[in-house]
Amino acid sequence: MRPLYRRTLGVLATAGVLAGAGFATFKLDDRGEQQARARAAQIATSAITGTQETLAGRLRAVEARAVAGASLNPVRALVLDHVDTDTLQDAFGTETWWQTFRDEFSFHTLLDGSQRFDFSPNGVTHPEDLGSLLSSVQGRSMASGLVLAGEQPHLAAVAVVDVPVAPGAERPLLVLGRPLTATEFEGIAQESRASLALVDSNARPLARAGASAGEIRPAIPWKGAPITDHKGAWGIARAEVAPGLFLWAHADTRVEAAQARREARALMVPVWLTALLASGVALWLSFRSSRTEKDHATAEMLARTTQQLAAVKAELEIARESMTLPAIIDGTTGQLCLPERSRSEPSLSSPVSFGRYELLRPLGEGGMARVYLALARGTGGFERLFVIKRLHEQLARQPEAVRQFMDEARLGASMVHSNIVPVYDFGQVNGEYYMASEYIVGRDLDAVLRRAFEKDGYPLEPSTVFLAAQEVLKALGYAHTRTDEQGRPMGIVHRDVSPMNIIASARGEVKLLDFGIAKSADRATRTQAGLVKGNVNFISPEQARGFDVDGRADLFSLGLTLFWCLSGELLYEGQNDFDRIIQAAEGPSERHWERIARLGQPAASLLYRALQPHPADRFQTAEEFARALPTVRPEDAANLGHTMTRLFGEELRVEASYRKALSARNSGSIPALEQSHTA
């Protein structure tokens, strides 16, 4: 090739590389602004949710006082005696037994059938309309809500006065209310770290609090989702807290927006370093003298190596995609379905003796070990099934791999909890390291979800998913709070919470397995800084960046797992792991939050909190996460067992008895085991 031609190509290649880096910089900068807007929307949503919870807490306190007032014997006696208005006015206005209620509440109302008696101090404005409050007490003994008295919002509650009434007659009701003062509203704004405005249906402000409350414009057209500044400097969210009463929250997010842009720009460094390196190589190759034969040989070798690496990468991508592909539309039936999950299962023509175990059947294989269903025999005819995990022979000669395997066995054996699959044994057989763990007759959540799509055409029921989450949080709460013999925190982090590592048994039990890459202060091996561990589809932003992690990373991963189980889709989309890990490093963007919102309540609110990019904004402990989940009913576990039977009935019945399993295996009729004991 002539030098001039070669140099021209080199310059063009350099220009192309630098132009690509410039375009990547533009996209990263745009992504930073998108992330800033998403964070502004998240913070505003969190502020409005937190304010609603605070108001609900204050209303519950008023509700409790209303119940206490309605339960007083003098009140019940006055209602039973049907005394006249003057007597009621005198009793509620002067008697000492009502003194604390007179001091605490600005208006008191007694409703007895069609009669209404107001016993409030002179000059106090009563609510014109109690209809929504009274309708909410139907079928209940108490209710509470915000009401308007004039232009002043009040915290009001209604309680039933428990006295005998004629069949079909209305129950007597006591209504108490006190103003939501400006000082109290200001305190609520400080708790929510946002500026607040309470407005009526005519967009007329009734109360304001916070430094930037004046920035709230209630007349802005509202479509439901939070609105933000184009650079994410602020976010505004709205919620209806009572019929005709709307709460607005304005969050100043300039600091968070700047942080989001800095995080996006941090990714520009490796982009430009790579671009400059590639440009330098291109220029050097184009301007150097003619290649020697050795140069040609080296170039050919590099080309072959590149092709081989590309082929290996393609195979790895196919393997990864087959494990975690999102839901797709079947072209023939038009139904939502999940692709098959590929498994690499070495075959056994007959049981193989392995120390005191008999290897019956392979369950799977990973990069570190091969997993088998095994039978342990003992004296007196003792027999029990285990899962044997054998370290790959080539890794047994690598001290670091052996130490990591021993760490996993040691940590697994120390974890004694009903929601964690325990490790019972560790040792060597003919130089091969192994560990033995409990065998669970069941399926991982990934397999359960795929079978649900196959049979039903839709994801798992929310009650089933929330039950699984509650049980996993029990396991994580136990692991995260473990201490050593001196009482020091062990700092255990699972780092691989995903549907493939959560097992649902045939009886409806839920267990967390595989602490193979867990972080612990007690481990002999340490993860190098910057090294990413875990399934890229279910890792937290700090984990994707290779930063140090704590238990909040596991809670984020559980949030992604809940989204997968509720929707049948991965939150992060992309053509390869690199695309997904870039998204994972940034956390959910605006389009991700829109997909989460489509799940409906309460799932959307839970995931808004669990999937915050910054650990400080998430649930801080497993217990806090568990408290936010819907209450698990006693029948939910039984329902999960029924679901497992419906989806995997015959397979689970075969696996439930090892004798039947052995008999079926010998006759060649045993179905393929799908349990995901990953290596």
Side-chain angles (χ1 to χ4, degrees):
M1 185 184 295
R2 288 180 296 178
L4 180 60
Y5 183 59
R6 189 172 64 245
R7 291 171 186 173
T8 302
L9 285 179
V11 171
L12 291 175
T14 300
V17 169
L18 294 178
F23 179 73
T25 300
F26 169 77
K27 295 298 289 183
L28 286 172
D29 205 37
D30 181 63
R31 180 171 285 184
E33 290 200 355
Q34 290 181 12
Q35 188 67 20
R37 291 195 296 271
R39 288 186 184 175
Q42 295 159 18
I43 293 171
T45 301
S46 297
I48 204 79
T49 302
T51 303
Q52 287 179 281
E53 291 175 353
T54 302
L55 284 173
R58 283 166 165 73
L59 285 170
R60 284 193 293 271
V62 175
E63 204 173 76
R65 293 293 289 150
V67 171
S71 302
L72 291 175
N73 286 331
V75 173
R76 298 174 63 204
L78 288 170
V79 172
L80 280 172
D81 292 341
H82 300 289
V83 297
D84 57 68
T85 303
D86 292 337
T87 304
L88 284 172
Q89 185 71 48
D90 180 67
F92 281 98
T94 61
E95 294 293 342
T96 57
W97 48 262
W98 195 249
Q99 181 65 48
T100 57
F101 295 92
R102 284 196 298 270
D103 295 340
E104 186 175 350
F105 297 100
S106 58
F107 69 79
H108 328 128
T109 298
L110 182 66
L111 300 171
D112 189 2
S114 60
Q115 294 182 299
R116 172 172 170 167
F117 307 98
D118 292 315
F119 311 113
S120 306
N122 292 331
V124 173
T125 303
H126 291 83
E128 295 179 4
D129 183 14
L130 292 174
S132 61
L133 182 65
L134 298 180
S135 63
S136 62
V137 81
Q138 296 299 323
R140 303 169 56 196
S141 61
M142 69 193 83
S144 58
L146 282 174
V147 299
L148 279 182
E151 295 187 0
Q152 174 71 47
H154 281 63
L155 301 168
V158 56
V160 173
V161 181
D162 188 15
V163 296
V165 295
E170 295 183 6
R171 300 177 299 174
L173 302 173
L174 177 68
V175 183
L176 300 179
R178 64 174 182 82
L180 177 62
T181 64
T183 302
E184 185 176 19
F185 199 51
E186 187 70 42
I188 294 173
Q190 292 176 3
E191 287 182 36
S192 63
R193 294 183 294 179
S195 297
L196 304 174
L198 190 65
V199 305
D200 62 16
S201 56
N202 297 318
R204 180 180 52 177
L206 304 172
R208 290 184 182 272
S212 59
E215 300 296 325
I216 300 175
R217 300 287 187 268
I220 295 175
W222 193 261
K223 296 182 180 180
I227 57 175
T228 66
D229 173 57
H230 71 285
K231 289 187 175 293
W234 52 260
I236 296 179
R238 187 189 79 161
E240 187 173 13
V241 292
L245 285 178
F246 300 89
L247 181 69
W248 293 68
H250 178 282
D252 185 337
T253 56
R254 286 173 293 183
V255 174
E256 290 80 3
Q259 176 66 21
R261 288 192 289 271
R262 281 196 300 271
E263 290 174 356
R265 288 168 184 164
L267 297 173
M268 298 178 189
V269 175
V271 169
W272 277 102
L273 285 177
T274 303
L276 291 174
L277 179 61
S279 300
V281 171
L283 289 174
W284 176 73
L285 289 174
S286 62
F287 281 90
R288 69 173 183 161
S289 59
S290 300
R291 293 177 177 171
T292 63
E293 292 183 0
K294 182 177 179 180
D295 294 331
H296 286 292
T298 302
E300 290 175 0
M301 182 187 71
L302 288 174
R304 286 195 301 271
T305 303
T306 302
Q307 292 174 354
Q308 292 171 356
L309 289 174
V312 171
K313 181 180 179 182
E315 292 175 1
L316 288 174
E317 290 299 337
I318 292 171
R320 293 190 188 101
E321 292 289 343
S322 65
M323 290 294 291
T324 54
L325 278 176
I328 60 174
I329 300 295
D330 187 285
T332 303
T333 64
Q335 293 183 336
L336 197 62
C337 61
L338 293 178
E340 288 296 325
R341 181 175 65 179
S342 64
R343 295 186 304 275
S344 174
E345 292 190 359
S347 60
L348 289 178
S349 58
S350 61
V352 175
S353 178
F354 186 75
R356 71 186 190 93
Y357 299 97
E358 189 177 57
L359 305 183
L360 305 176
R361 183 179 181 81
L363 296 177
E365 183 176 358
M368 192 169 187
R370 185 172 288 178
V371 184
Y372 297 88
L373 175 64
L375 179 68
R377 300 184 187 276
T379 58
F382 171 82
E383 293 177 328
R384 182 174 179 180
L385 286 175
F386 289 93
V387 172
I388 295 292
K389 193 171 184 178
R390 294 170 67 181
L391 185 66
H392 286 313
E393 184 178 354
Q394 64 273 25
L395 294 180
R397 297 189 293 271
Q398 299 179 17
E400 180 68 16
V402 172
R403 282 195 295 270
Q404 183 176 338
F405 196 64
M406 293 175 68
D407 276 340
E408 178 185 352
R410 185 185 301 111
L411 183 61
S414 70
M415 309 283 270
V416 182
H417 190 275
S418 59
N419 294 108
I420 295 177
V421 177
V423 173
Y424 290 121
D425 189 17
F426 175 80
Q428 276 183 291
V429 174
N430 299 326
E432 289 190 68
Y433 291 92
Y434 75 92
M435 69 179 76
S437 59
E438 180 183 8
Y439 174 64
I440 308 295
V441 179
R443 297 289 184 272
D444 64 46
L445 288 188
D446 187 66
V448 175
L449 178 65
R450 291 171 185 275
R451 182 61 62 86
F453 265 102
E454 178 185 321
K455 285 201 169 188
D456 305 329
Y458 50 82
L460 299 174
E461 292 291 336
S463 60
T464 298
V465 177
F466 294 144
L467 166 68
Q470 286 279 13
E471 298 302 293
V472 172
L473 286 167
K474 293 176 185 177
L476 291 176
Y478 166 79
H480 293 166
T481 57
R482 288 203 61 205
T483 58
D484 61 16
E485 295 178 354
Q486 285 73 42
R488 295 171 299 195
M490 295 180 65
I492 297 174
V493 186
H494 189 284
R495 295 200 296 188
D496 198 14
V497 175
S498 66
M500 287 68 76
N501 283 333
I502 299 171
I503 292 287
S505 77
R507 295 183 296 179
E509 302 163 321
V510 179
K511 295 177 183 282
L512 181 64
L513 72 146
D514 201 353
F515 280 77
I517 63 170
K519 171 194 170 188
S520 168
D522 195 41
R523 291 190 73 131
T525 55
R526 292 288 182 268
T527 301
Q528 297 177 357
L531 183 62
V532 178
K533 285 197 171 188
N535 186 323
V536 297
N537 296 305
F538 299 97
I539 58 177
S540 65
E542 61 271 27
Q543 198 171 347
R545 293 174 180 270
F547 293 168
D548 194 24
V549 298
D550 58 25
R552 294 173 294 185
D554 286 343
L555 304 184
F556 189 98
S557 297
L558 181 59
L560 291 175
T561 298
L562 295 186
F563 181 82
W564 163 255
C565 291
L566 290 168
S567 67
E569 300 174 350
L570 296 174
L571 184 62
Y572 300 134
E573 303 163 320
Q575 299 300 316
N576 50 51
D577 280 352
F578 178 78
D579 289 343
R580 286 191 288 272
I581 204 168
I582 290 296
Q583 294 179 60
E586 295 182 352
S589 65
E590 193 168 354
R591 72 176 189 277
H592 294 133
W593 291 122
E594 290 173 357
R595 292 172 59 202
I596 290 169
R598 289 199 291 269
L599 292 176
Q601 299 296 342
S605 296
L606 285 168
L607 295 184
Y608 271 130
R609 181 75 183 279
L611 298 179
Q612 292 294 317
H614 294 283
D617 296 332
R618 296 175 209 152
F619 295 113
Q620 298 299 291
T621 64
E623 289 75 15
E624 184 184 1
F625 196 160
R627 286 196 300 270
L629 286 167
T631 303
V632 174
R633 302 167 300 174
E635 62 267 26
D636 287 337
N639 289 342
L640 177 55
H642 295 325
T643 298
M644 295 298 293
T645 300
R646 182 174 62 82
L647 296 178
F648 302 97
E650 184 59 31
E651 297 173 28
L652 295 178
R653 280 192 291 272
V654 172
E655 295 169 31
S657 168
Y658 74 88
R659 295 186 186 277
K660 291 182 181 178
L662 286 175
S663 174
R665 183 195 60 77
N666 291 332
S667 65
S669 62
I670 188 170
L673 298 186
E674 296 181 8
Q675 185 166 343
S676 177
H677 289 274
T678 55

